[in-house]
């Protein structure tokens, strides 16, 4: 499992809308329309097709959309912050010094080329000295400490059944490719991916010392090892049930699952604080790991570790390593050219030093006034869900009361943290880019492990203010809404009318995240964030019947070639999308704009609301990226995050006059009715 900081991305700020906003002089909604498409047949392409036709995917990207427009602008802003910090002669240990030195070392390609593999030589030697299982696991521990993922997948997080306690968690791991199906799917696409993966492994092994014959055989053996481990992996949809992926056991019991690994010793070597128990999410994986420790030759394990080490640091090694990694990523995701160095560096620095960058970022680009405006919109959406719960016909009063209590208790975090993490112990200097990466990775690994045995910090953020994303955390019963998620590129808040704002921000983000507290997973957690059953049996059955309708709807969407959406794996996100649209709509109907019902650019307020929602998913992907998403992502592709929920929203039918015979028309009895 990747450390939590690795999934962060970039974005601009959003300033929430004023009630009497003035529309943009060039209406963004009208400019993006493709009027050759009927909104009743394909709303996504009606709303966004004009923009998509005029904006082909750049060669350096695997996909392109509104988020990328935000990201590209933000990259420039973050670059300015880094360059100013590098020139600032900042005090040693300060945020500016760390940001500046990281940037300077990462951009010094001449120094990087001249040092070759020397910056990782110590760890290569540790791997080379492995001679048996104890020394193998010791080498894994050394790599774990610097953020290199190998066979064990471990981290510290809240105990699902006791949200006040932090627990050591172990999950299925060991695979380089994103999902078990990459190893078994016999479609030509995945046969080609496996062939390219073999070439990628072989290339790294040759560059680091093996001749071509040895590297070819070892690459074959590494893939065989991962395939054996993949056989024990649960399918993506089967990892989503928190009850079926919760096995709390003593550390001694864990050692019985994988006696050769000696986890008690491993925890000590990695720096995990003493603990009596662990939560193992997929015990069968650790049984399979025991088999492979015994049956796979040590030389194969050593090559496996060497490949993982080089891959983790390939972007900070000479260009030949980074280019090899990109060549394989082209097969997976389809980008044609590699991004320029400065963009790659900003991405890495934002992953590792995102909060320090965020502190400088919000001083320039996000105000307290904006934060308050945005907080008010959250309360509008919360009130909309409260009303919906109160008027549900399928839910009993006893469950309703508990749902309302949970909703009222849901915490909101808006814009940026009230308190920042302390990065003073992270050592960033001018030794080398690799060393800075190692130090930063090691800081994050230890930061996570140090949470064990300490009170839960419910004020912590897992995203940075500049992140183009948001999340719901069931263990904290909270929504976290970074400043950066809600930008409409090229427009200020005064230019965005309420209809667009409540669709773009209220529905696709705020309502979406609030609904996650009541989707197929979130509904299993109570107001305090504990995994506990607070539903009556009958209410749960009625919920599941509607959820099954949604699974079947999304299972029917054929996206590309023979690849369809996995309705079970994407169920939580699909429920949240539908809930978000409904809540955003309900809140919008309370506004002055909706009540006055004045048209703007020949669009009614209702039409602008739904177009505003679609604007949030204005996105296109290369075929390779789409296939990868369908295989390993719990989110549906952008087109279906628009057309999917809309076919279940009565107000959408009225706004665009859908009738039987239209492609998006679903009979009333077949529409999903949850929240």
């Amino acid at each position: 499992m990747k450390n939590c900081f690795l999934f962060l991305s970039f974005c601009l700020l959003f300033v929430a809308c004023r009630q009497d906003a003035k529309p943009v002089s060039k209406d963004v909604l009208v400019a993006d329309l493709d009027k050759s498409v009927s909104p009743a047949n394909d709303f996504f392409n009606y709303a966004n097709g004009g923009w998509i036709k005029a904006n082909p995917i750049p060669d350096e990207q695997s996909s392109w959309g509104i988020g990328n427009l935000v990201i590209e602008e933000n990259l420039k802003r973050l670059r300015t912050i880094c360059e100013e910090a590098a020139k600032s002669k900042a005090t040693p240990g300060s945020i500016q010094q760390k940001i500046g030195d990281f940037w300077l070392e990462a951009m010094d390609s001449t120094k990087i080329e001249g040092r070759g593999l020397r910056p990782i030589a110590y760890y290569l030697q540790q791997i080379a000295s492995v001679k048996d299982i104890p020394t193998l696991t010791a080498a894994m521990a050394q790599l774990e400490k610097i953020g290199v993922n190998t066979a064990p997948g471990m981290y510290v997080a809240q105990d699902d059944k006791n949200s006040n306690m932090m627990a050591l968690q172990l999950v299925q791991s060991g695979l380089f490719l994103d999902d078990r199906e990459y190893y078994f799917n016999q479609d030509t696409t995945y046969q080609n991916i496996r062939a390219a993966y073999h070439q990628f492994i072989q290339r790294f092994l040759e560059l680091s010392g093996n001749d071509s014959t040895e590297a070819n055989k070892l690459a074959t053996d590494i893939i065989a090892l991962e395939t054996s481990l993949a056989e024990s992996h649960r399918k993506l949809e089967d990892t989503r049930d928190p009850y079926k992926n919760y096995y709390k056991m003593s550390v001694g019991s864990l050692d019985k699952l994988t006696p050769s690994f000696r986890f008690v010793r491993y925890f000590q070597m990695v720096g995990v604080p003493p603990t009596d128990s662990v939560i193992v999410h997929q015990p069968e994986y650790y049984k399979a790991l025991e088999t492979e420790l015994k049956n796979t030759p040590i030389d194969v394990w050593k090559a496996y570790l060497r490949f993982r080490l080089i891959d983790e640091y390939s972007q900070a090694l000479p260009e030949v390593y980074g280019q090899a990694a990109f060549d394989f990523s082209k097969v997976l995701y389809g980008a044609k050219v590699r991004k320029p160095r400065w963009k790659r560096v900003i991405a890495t620095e934002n992953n590792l030093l995102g909060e320090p960058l965020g502190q400088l970022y919000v001083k320039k680009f996000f105000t307290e006034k904006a934060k308050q405006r945005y907080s008010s919109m959250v309360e509008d959406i919360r009130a909309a869900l409260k009303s919906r719960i109160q008027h549900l016909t399928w839910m009993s009063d006893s469950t309703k009361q508990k749902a309302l209590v949970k909703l009222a208790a849901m915490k909101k975090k808006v814009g940026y943290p009230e308190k920042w993490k302390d990065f003073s112990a992270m050592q960033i200097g001018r030794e080398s880019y690799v060393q800075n990466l190692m130090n930063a990775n090691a800081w994050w690994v230890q930061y996570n492990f140090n949470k064990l045995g300490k009170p839960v910090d419910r004020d912590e953020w897992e995203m940075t203010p500049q992140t183009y994303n948001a999340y719901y955390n069931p263990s904290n019963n909270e929504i976290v809404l970074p400043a950066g998620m809600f930008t409409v590129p090229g427009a200020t808040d005064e230019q965005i009318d309420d209809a667009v704002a409540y669709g773009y921000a209220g529905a696709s983000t705020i309502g979406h995240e609030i609904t996650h507290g009541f989707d197929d997973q979130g509904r299993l957690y109570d107001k305090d964030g504990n995994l506990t059953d607070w539903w009556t049996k009958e209410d749960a059955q009625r919920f599941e019947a509607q959820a099954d309708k949604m699974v079947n709807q999304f299972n029917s969407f054929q996206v590309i070639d023979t690849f369809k959406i996995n309705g079970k794996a994407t169920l939580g996100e699909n429920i949240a999308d539908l809930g978000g649209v409904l809540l955003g709509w309900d809140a919008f109907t309370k506004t002055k704009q909706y009540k006055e019902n004045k048209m703007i650019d020949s669009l009614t307020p209702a039409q602008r609301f739904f177009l505003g929602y679609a604007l949030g998913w204005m996105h296109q992907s290369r075929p390779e990226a789409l296939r990868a998403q369908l295989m390993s992502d719990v989110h549906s592709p952008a087109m279906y995050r628009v057309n999917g929920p809309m076919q279940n929203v009565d107000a959408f039918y009225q706004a665009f006059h859908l009738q039987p015979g239209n492609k998006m028309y679903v009979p009333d009895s077949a529409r999903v009715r949850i929240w």
Side-chain angles (χ1 to χ4, degrees):
M1 177 178 178
K2 292 286 186 183
N3 294 317
C4 65
F5 57 89
L6 294 179
F7 66 78
L8 302 182
S9 58
F10 321 104
C11 62
L12 282 169
L13 63 98
F14 168 79
V15 182
C17 306
R18 292 178 181 167
Q19 195 70 9
D20 296 316
K22 298 178 181 180
V24 191
S25 56
K26 182 181 179 182
D27 193 332
V28 65
L29 300 183
V30 174
D32 293 341
L33 292 179
D34 182 352
K35 293 184 179 180
S36 70
V37 178
S38 166
N41 290 332
D42 181 354
F43 185 62
F44 175 84
N45 278 302
Y46 167 76
N48 298 318
W51 184 89
I52 290 172
K53 288 179 180 178
N55 293 274
I57 302 172
D59 286 349
E60 70 180 41
Q61 302 287 347
S62 60
S63 59
W64 192 245
I66 192 165
N68 300 92
L69 300 180
V70 175
I71 288 168
E72 289 298 306
E73 179 62 29
N74 201 48
L75 281 168
K76 298 172 185 176
R77 294 188 174 194
L78 292 174
R79 180 177 185 172
T80 297
I81 290 173
C82 290
E83 290 177 337
E84 288 177 351
K87 297 174 183 177
S88 66
K89 297 182 181 179
T91 303
S94 67
I95 288 173
Q96 287 85 353
Q97 176 264 311
K98 295 178 195 293
I99 290 172
D101 283 356
F102 190 101
W103 172 258
L104 289 170
E105 285 302 309
M107 292 299 293
D108 192 344
S109 58
T110 301
K111 182 176 180 180
I112 291 168
E113 291 295 325
R115 302 201 69 183
L117 290 179
R118 289 199 301 276
I120 62 170
Y122 170 80
Y123 293 96
L124 290 172
Q125 180 56 44
Q126 294 296 304
I127 294 169
S129 65
V130 169
K131 61 181 183 297
D132 52 25
I133 293 176
T135 53
L136 172 65
T137 56
M140 288 183 181
Q142 289 293 314
L143 295 179
E144 177 108 37
K145 291 169 70 174
I146 58 168
V148 179
N149 302 294
T150 59
M154 49 189 279
Y155 61 97
V156 173
Q158 285 162 278
D159 186 333
D160 271 349
K161 294 187 177 181
N162 184 357
S163 65
N164 289 320
M165 298 297 295
M166 303 298 287
L168 184 61
Q169 323 249 350
L170 275 77
V171 296
Q172 59 192 24
S173 186
L175 311 184
F176 184 84
L177 301 177
D178 288 338
D179 186 83
R180 70 183 305 280
E181 299 306 318
Y182 278 99
Y183 296 85
F184 303 118
N185 193 308
Q186 293 306 308
D187 184 275
T188 301
T189 297
Y190 291 92
Q191 292 182 24
N192 293 338
I193 287 173
R194 289 192 290 272
Y197 181 40
H198 183 284
Q199 294 173 357
F200 177 37
I201 298 172
Q202 181 174 341
R203 179 66 171 147
F204 271 2
L205 296 181
E206 288 179 1
L207 287 170
S208 58
N210 291 111
D211 62 38
S212 60
T213 301
E214 291 173 331
N216 177 63
K217 182 179 185 306
L218 286 169
T220 299
D221 292 341
I222 287 172
I223 293 176
L225 165 61
E226 292 188 13
T227 302
S228 294
L229 293 174
E231 289 178 352
S232 71
H233 272 232
R234 298 183 184 182
K235 292 184 177 182
L236 182 62
E237 59 267 31
D238 294 330
T239 63
R240 297 192 67 255
D241 186 326
Y243 282 105
K244 293 180 180 179
N245 290 271
Y246 183 99
Y247 301 88
K248 195 165 189 176
M249 61 182 68
S250 67
V251 176
S253 296
L254 173 62
D255 265 342
K256 290 178 181 177
L257 278 179
T258 318
S260 298
F261 204 89
R262 297 178 61 191
F263 269 102
V264 173
R265 172 175 169 268
Y266 185 82
F267 294 157
Q268 292 172 343
M269 289 189 292
V270 172
V272 177
T275 183
D276 296 328
S277 62
V278 295
I279 297 171
V280 182
H281 292 244
Q282 297 88 23
E284 61 272 23
Y285 167 75
Y286 287 92
K287 291 181 181 178
L289 176 58
E290 174 67 15
T291 300
E292 294 309 314
L293 287 171
K294 291 179 177 178
N295 294 342
T296 299
I298 287 294
D299 283 347
V300 176
W301 277 111
K302 290 166 67 174
Y304 170 90
L305 297 187
R306 179 153 47 102
F307 167 71
R308 290 299 184 91
L309 171 64
I310 293 171
D311 177 72
E312 177 66 30
Y313 289 95
S314 60
Q315 301 306 313
L317 294 172
E319 188 71 5
V320 64
Y321 294 94
Q323 186 62 46
F326 173 72
D327 288 342
F328 178 59
S329 76
K330 286 196 296 186
V331 179
L332 282 177
Y333 307 116
K336 296 179 180 180
V337 300
R338 201 173 176 206
K339 293 177 182 178
R341 184 174 198 89
W342 75 267
K343 288 186 179 181
R344 303 196 307 267
V345 170
I346 290 293
T348 302
E349 186 159 9
N350 196 56
N351 282 338
L352 297 171
L353 288 161
E355 267 205 21
L357 280 169
Q359 292 183 52
L360 302 181
Y361 185 92
V362 296
K363 288 179 181 178
K364 289 190 174 185
F365 304 125
F366 195 70
T367 67
E368 183 62 27
K369 186 177 181 181
K371 185 172 182 175
Q372 290 303 317
R373 290 174 180 167
Y374 189 15
S375 295
S376 296
M377 190 180 286
V378 174
E379 296 310 319
D380 291 344
I381 303 296
R382 193 197 305 261
L385 181 52
K386 178 180 179 180
S387 178
R388 281 193 165 263
I389 292 171
Q390 290 171 331
H391 291 93
L392 286 176
T393 58
W394 60 265
M395 179 178 281
S396 68
D397 287 342
S398 62
T399 305
K400 280 184 182 180
Q401 291 307 310
K402 293 175 182 176
L404 291 170
V405 168
K406 178 175 181 177
L407 177 62
M410 187 180 289
K411 184 176 181 179
K412 63 180 179 183
K413 295 179 178 176
V414 178
Y416 51 86
E418 296 297 329
K419 63 178 182 180
W420 301 93
K421 294 181 179 70
D422 179 3
F423 283 79
S424 59
M426 182 186 287
Q427 299 299 310
I428 302 295
R430 298 300 310 277
E431 181 178 344
S432 73
Y433 186 17
V434 167
Q435 193 60 54
N436 284 340
L437 290 182
M438 286 184 175
N439 290 348
N441 282 347
W443 186 92
W444 277 107
V445 169
Q446 202 56 53
Y447 175 84
N448 181 249
F449 287 147
N450 284 346
K451 294 179 181 180
L452 194 62
K454 294 180 181 177
V456 174
D457 182 0
R458 294 183 184 268
D459 293 324
E460 183 179 15
W461 283 51
E462 294 178 3
M463 287 182 177
T464 66
Q466 64 270 28
T467 298
Y468 187 71
N469 212 336
Y471 67 91
Y472 172 73
N473 178 354
S475 293
N476 278 352
N477 189 27
E478 65 179 5
I479 55 170
V480 182
L481 307 163
M485 183 57 196
F486 304 98
T487 302
V488 176
T492 65
D493 66 304
E494 291 87 356
Q495 295 172 311
I496 304 300
D497 54 297
D498 278 347
V500 176
Y502 276 85
Y504 183 79
S508 71
T509 299
I510 304 171
H512 175 97
E513 298 306 337
I514 287 179
T515 304
H516 268 315
F518 302 90
D519 68 15
D520 65 312
Q521 283 185 313
R523 75 173 190 85
L524 302 175
Y525 295 79
D526 66 14
K527 67 179 181 64
D528 297 317
N530 294 313
L531 184 62
T532 184
D533 192 356
W534 50 274
W535 291 61
T536 68
K537 181 180 179 180
E538 293 76 18
D539 289 339
Q541 289 173 342
R542 286 189 282 266
F543 178 96
E544 289 163 2
Q546 290 299 315
D548 286 343
K549 276 189 183 181
M550 179 162 275
V551 170
N552 292 332
Q553 282 185 359
F554 279 81
N555 279 342
S556 70
F557 293 140
Q558 187 160 318
V559 179
I560 184 171
D561 303 332
T562 60
F563 292 82
K564 294 184 176 182
I565 294 176
N566 184 333
K568 285 188 176 180
T570 58
L571 178 59
E573 296 298 329
N574 298 335
I575 290 174
D577 283 339
L578 174 57
V581 174
L582 295 171
L583 299 181
W585 171 257
D586 288 354
F588 173 58
T589 61
K590 304 295 192 296
T591 66
K592 178 181 177 182
Q593 182 181 5
Y594 175 80
K595 293 174 182 177
E596 291 183 345
N597 199 29
K598 295 178 181 178
M599 297 183 79
I600 299 176
D601 287 334
S602 301
L603 295 170
T604 68
Q607 290 171 336
R608 294 182 67 79
F609 168 84
F610 291 112
L611 288 168
Y613 175 83
L615 176 65
W617 299 112
M618 186 176 71
H619 190 84
Q620 55 183 321
S621 297
R622 298 188 189 279
E624 298 88 345
L626 271 178
R627 294 187 189 101
Q629 181 177 0
L630 292 167
M631 183 66 72
S632 59
D633 198 339
V634 297
H635 300 82
S636 299
M639 176 177 177
Y640 303 92
R641 299 192 73 169
V642 175
N643 290 353
M646 290 304 171
Q647 66 183 11
N648 297 300
V649 178
D650 296 344
F652 172 73
Y653 283 65
Q654 297 163 10
F656 289 96
H657 314 294
L658 270 68
Q659 300 294 328
N662 296 138
K663 291 181 180 179
M664 288 189 62
Y665 184 89
V666 172
D668 185 272
S669 62
R671 295 175 200 168
V672 177
R673 311 286 189 187
I674 302 180
W675 298 108

